[in-house]
Amino acid sequence: MYAERVSRLTGAVVWTSTPTEPGPGRVLPDGCMDLLWHDGRLLVAGPDTRAYVTGSGQSLWAGVRFHPGTAPVLLGVPAAALRDRRVDLADLWPAARTRRLTARVNAAPDPASGLEEAALSVAADTGPPDPLVRRIVAALDAGCSVAATADALGIGARRLHRRSLAAFGYGPKTLARVLRLQRALALARGGTPLAETAARTGYADQAHLARDVRELTGLPPGELLGRRG
């Protein structure tokens, strides 16, 4: 079972997941990075360019999902270094710092609240998020092209690409594609027919949407959404 709530850390979501069915799960790309807790360990989930297939265990996972582009500042590591990876926090931070944070989370009443407090503590010791990063996300999520985004922000295409690699783990074109996928899935899950979903989210047609869904998630739309059409 999966549950989430808005975090007290601006732009973040706190979630828990305990698989209730046998077999692996599937985490879809969303432009975000997560601080994870599992079996007493802290891990970091990097930005995905395709669906991440989880293990088949049924133990509890908890996480804090950060708004696209914000986790690298908090964790002190460029997003591109973690693209399509799950790594132990101990591989990124000094051992003593990792032990202190892990102990703090494990001592909390529950892992999710412990992770949230840990994220708030880390955020208090770092600078504010780069406003340019949020503007990049907003422009691309609104359907602006990469060229139009660079022009609107007053930065060149090369600088936009460099900033995107560090903040999101991949270039702006990939981020735009991932964000468009999430917009389309939100509409489709709300009952919007796939042809209308494709038109409203900037795909050339329903076939284009279906190809993108399959390439990014590994499943055709009907199977991913659990319905036909």
Side-chain angles (χ1 to χ4, degrees), residues 7-65:
S7 173
R8 287 181 288 131
L9 179 64
T10 302
V13 171
V14 180
W15 59 268
T16 58
S17 178
T18 304
T20 56
E21 297 183 6
R26 191 173 297 266
V27 179
L28 305 185
D30 57 7
C32 300
M33 292 174 58
D34 296 60
L35 178 63
L36 308 173
W37 175 95
H38 181 64
D39 287 344
R41 297 165 51 217
L42 297 186
L43 306 95
V44 177
D48 294 322
T49 58
R50 58 189 179 277
Y52 179 82
V53 179
T54 67
S56 56
Q58 295 187 313
S59 55
L60 173 69
W61 285 80
V64 174
R65 180 175 302 116

